[in-house]
Amino acid sequence: MMDGMTTDMTHGAGKADGGGSEITVVHLMRHGEVHNPEGVLYGRKAGYHLSELGLRMADRVAEHLAGRDITHVVASPLERAQETALPISKAHGLELVTDERLIEAENVFEGKTFGVGDGALKKPANWKYLTNPFRPSWGEPYIEQVVRMMGALGAARDAARGHEAVCVSHQLPIWIVRSFAERRRLWHDPRKRQCTLASLTSFTFRGDKIVSVGYSEPARDLVPAHLLAGAKPVKGGSKAFGA
């Protein structure tokens, strides 16, 4: 964890510390539930939109943030992220900006089923991709995700100096950049990511420095129990991964 960092969002945007540095808050939001009846790892594939429940999640978070000092809203180019960000941008009368750096992590299993006890992991041809969980060998290196996500965070911070910004992205990149900011190892058990659907991982900056990281789940009551952080995997269910 960074020096002086807490896991609660204790600072309000716009206030200055004793040295005159402005406080800016950047919320990294994971998109809502996706319509994915085939249960594939959709990754960066186009054509995957929010389900009806996902749209409700997006509206819920927009309501939750309605009273916040949001001056900048940006999203990954993928449809599910754009659709999640739209109610927030509309609620604050802001243009929705797209940042390619917020996109989902690249994954060789994209387009395949990836459930527990079935799918891609049962096929020997895919085992060669599972040799190095520390990089990882099956997709975009963790450190590359850190670089692009830190760049997106910095751009959002600069666009909302003294106020708040919302960046809608995807589970893995959000968790990786949070892990980096909190000085944790980047390789991890994906079942234990604290980044549920429509959650907010909030970075508070004093000037250019991250001073705290907070986490909240405004739509928790709408999230299916098996998709919450720490839940046991469901056989045949893959929507918790690569989302």
Side-chain angles (χ1 to χ4, degrees):
M1 188 171 292
M2 298 179 68
D3 295 341
M5 180 178 288
T6 68
T7 54
D8 296 314
M9 194 178 71
T10 55
H11 301 281
K15 297 179 181 178
D17 64 7
S21 297
E22 285 186 315
I23 300 298
T24 306
V25 180
V26 179
H27 306 280
L28 275 183
M29 179 182 177
R30 184 182 172 194
H31 61 79
E33 186 191 59
V34 174
H35 180 66
N36 181 23
E38 296 82 11
V40 302
L41 184 77
Y42 35 79
R44 295 181 175 182
K45 292 177 71 67
Y48 284 88
H49 298 266
L50 294 184
S51 64
E52 290 186 9
L53 179 60
L55 292 170
R56 288 173 58 198
M57 291 177 181
D59 288 338
R60 171 71 64 81
V61 179
E63 293 171 5
H64 175 77
L65 295 173
R68 307 290 301 203
D69 184 22
I70 308 294
T71 61
H72 184 65
V73 181
V74 59
S76 154
L78 297 174
E79 294 98 333
R80 57 192 184 271
Q82 295 277 317
E83 292 164 359
T84 299
L86 191 58
I88 300 171
S89 64
K90 285 184 175 180
H92 293 273
L94 299 170
E95 177 187 1
L96 175 56
V97 179
T98 299
D99 189 333
E100 296 280 348
R101 292 171 293 190
L102 294 171
I103 200 167
E104 175 63 288
E106 188 177 20
N107 193 308
V108 297
F109 295 110
E110 183 179 291
K112 301 176 182 178
T113 59
F114 200 60
V116 177
D118 61 8
L121 293 185
K122 289 187 67 177
K123 299 177 180 179
N126 291 328
W127 295 350
K128 62 185 177 182
Y129 298 119
L130 306 174
T131 57
N132 185 359
F134 307 105
R135 186 179 186 268
S137 52
W138 54 83
E140 181 184 11
Y142 291 138
I143 192 61
E144 291 184 11
Q145 294 180 54
V146 167
V147 170
R148 64 177 172 85
M149 290 297 288
M150 286 298 293
L153 271 176
R157 175 203 62 213
D158 291 344
R161 288 275 184 186
H163 305 279
E164 301 184 34
V166 178
C167 303
V168 181
S169 187
H170 307 267
Q171 185 190 61
L172 179 55
I174 293 172
W175 181 248
I176 290 299
V177 76
R178 176 182 174 181
S179 296
F180 175 78
E182 294 182 330
R183 296 184 176 175
R184 290 195 305 273
R185 69 189 187 197
L186 301 183
W187 60 273
H188 61 283
D189 182 342
R191 297 168 298 180
K192 297 181 179 179
R193 296 172 189 159
Q194 189 184 40
C195 187
T196 196
L197 292 166
S199 62
L200 297 171
T201 300
S202 303
F203 295 76
T204 299
F205 291 84
R206 180 179 290 120
D208 290 346
K209 181 181 179 181
I210 298 172
V211 294
S212 69
V213 179
Y215 177 76
S216 60
E217 298 176 352
R220 182 181 176 86
D221 61 304
L222 299 178
V223 179
H226 71 284
L227 295 184
L228 292 169
K232 293 182 179 180
V234 177
K235 184 174 182 179
S238 61
K239 288 187 286 184
F241 297 95

